[in-house]
Amino acid sequence: MTKDQETESGSYRNKYDEVEKVQIFEQEFMPHIDSMYNFAYRLTFEEDESKDLVQDTYLKAFRFINSFERGTNAKAWLFRILKNSFINDFRKKSKQPSKVDYQEVENYYNSDDVDEKNTVDLRVETLKDMMGDEVTNALNALAVDFRTVIILCDLEGFTYEEMAKILDIPIGTVRSRLHRARNLLKEKLSSYAQSMGYK
Amino acid sequence: MLDNEASQDEEEYLNSHIDSCIVCFEEYNLEKEIRELLRSKVNKHQVPGELVTSIRNKIIESV
């Protein structure tokens, strides 16, 4: 039986030999370690936790390497593992907002969709003057689910379809969450601008 | 449109609308600028070298 036949029959056990595994790991997984570390840092805000999270993710990726299809999007595959590890192993430990908090935020913005545009007064010129720390703080102030979609879309350039897979949510939810996340970010940036006396 | 997720028709419609609607024109520019701001200014962290080494060592141990 060839390797391909094994894959088709659903058995991943011996899909790649040891040499191929290490090759895939080096060529397809390791090049994304910068993005992975920054994603972890933006979720946990801590160096040690980020290191643990990234290491866990890479070790898991290697352990389950037979379920990775060569030539498919390794970055999205790795991001999905990291996000799941964060939710299952890391979020429990820390005092991240629970699902309930998030739901409240989402409901609030659902009901407010019509008026929210008018509440933010932010100018392009103001944004140009902002410093890195101010922008970073505004992003970090968002609840983790909103922060995540901004990171994935605006910083990492994933498509909506890739985001849907990484986050295990429908594309429609990706769209609406991103829309709300951007409005929330605008509000944060606007209040930063005001407190810094930009206007 | 900003995320390259609009179809060609949608894109044409939005482009022509933005040309004539000042509110949407400003909104579009603002969102574009925020995207630029995020990409250029959000703090980036350097991966600690020892993390890369540690991961590679653990992989080598396991094969």
Side-chain angles (χ1 to χ4, degrees):
Chain A
M1 196 189 241
T2 67
K3 279 175 200 150
D4 283 350
Q5 283 169 326
E6 274 175 340
T7 313
E8 275 168 19
S9 70
S11 161
Y12 294 119
R13 192 160 298 179
N14 297 310
K15 190 167 151 193
Y16 304 119
D17 63 31
E18 298 302 301
V19 177
E20 285 174 321
K21 280 184 189 173
V22 175
Q23 231 174 31
I24 293 171
F25 192 81
E26 284 297 330
Q27 291 171 359
E28 305 216 31
F29 297 175
M30 285 310 267
H32 301 296
I33 195 155
D34 251 320
S35 298
M36 294 285 281
Y37 183 72
N38 276 284
F39 184 36
Y41 205 104
R42 288 169 187 144
L43 291 175
T44 64
F45 305 131
E46 293 218 8
E47 190 179 327
D48 284 342
E49 291 225 332
S50 307
K51 286 200 269 191
D52 288 349
L53 187 51
V54 170
Q55 178 153 305
D56 274 17
T57 304
Y58 271 93
L59 297 183
K60 265 183 210 163
F62 192 73
R63 212 178 319 139
F64 297 110
I65 203 160
N66 281 320
S67 60
F68 171 75
E69 282 302 325
R70 234 175 172 166
T72 60
N73 191 334
K75 188 177 171 187
W77 194 73
L78 292 168
F79 265 67
R80 185 165 184 270
I81 300 175
L82 192 145
K83 175 237 108 201
N84 285 336
S85 296
F86 173 68
I87 290 174
N88 297 330
D89 307 330
F90 285 78
R91 212 163 158 185
K92 275 182 206 148
K93 285 192 252 165
S94 60
K95 43 186 188 316
Q96 289 287 344
S98 66
K99 205 81 188 164
V100 182
D101 293 333
Y102 168 65
Q103 210 60 49
E104 276 172 18
V105 179
E106 190 158 45
N107 290 343
Y108 174 74
Y109 279 92
N110 261 336
S111 62
D112 243 6
D113 253 3
V114 191
D115 309 304
E116 63 186 292
K117 239 181 205 168
N118 305 328
T119 60
V120 181
D121 178 23
L122 192 58
R123 295 192 197 105
V124 171
E125 297 76 45
T126 312
L127 288 174
K128 288 196 160 94
D129 292 334
M130 284 205 163
M131 309 293 286
D133 281 351
E134 291 157 8
V135 184
T136 306
N137 288 342
L139 176 65
N140 289 350
L142 298 181
V144 67
D145 295 282
F146 291 129
R147 193 165 70 242
T148 303
V149 285
I150 300 261
I151 294 168
L152 296 179
C153 185
D154 292 337
L155 293 178
E156 298 297 342
F158 284 113
T159 64
Y160 290 176
E161 200 182 335
E162 287 164 343
M163 290 166 71
K165 281 185 189 150
I166 293 169
L167 300 171
D168 295 304
I169 53 176
I171 282 195
T173 312
V174 170
R175 274 176 208 278
S176 60
R177 197 176 289 180
L178 194 55
H179 177 70
R180 282 179 215 127
R182 286 185 172 146
N183 282 324
L184 284 165
L185 185 65
K186 256 182 254 170
E187 279 180 26
K188 302 275 182 209
L189 287 169
S190 164
S191 59
Y192 259 109
Q194 269 166 347
S195 70
M196 303 304 257
Y198 280 134
K199 281 186 204 165
Chain B
M1 184 154 79
L2 209 55
D3 300 329
N4 293 321
E5 298 276 355
S7 68
Q8 210 178 336
D9 284 353
E10 287 168 333
E11 195 127 331
E12 275 171 23
Y13 170 77
L14 290 168
N15 268 323
S16 70
H17 177 73
I18 285 171
D19 281 344
S20 60
C21 172
I22 187 74
V23 176
C24 289
F25 174 75
E26 284 181 353
E27 191 65 19
Y28 177 71
N29 277 332
L30 188 65
E31 299 229 340
K32 212 164 90 178
E33 191 59 33
I34 291 177
R35 157 84 63 99
E36 286 303 309
L37 194 70
L38 287 165
R39 287 198 176 156
S40 60
K41 291 193 180 167
V42 163
N43 297 345
K44 291 185 179 77
H45 298 272
Q46 190 74 41
V47 182
E50 80 263 19
L51 175 64
V52 179
T53 314
S54 154
I55 291 174
R56 284 212 168 100
N57 286 342
K58 284 192 159 52
I59 295 302
I60 291 165
E61 278 166 30
S62 75
V63 291

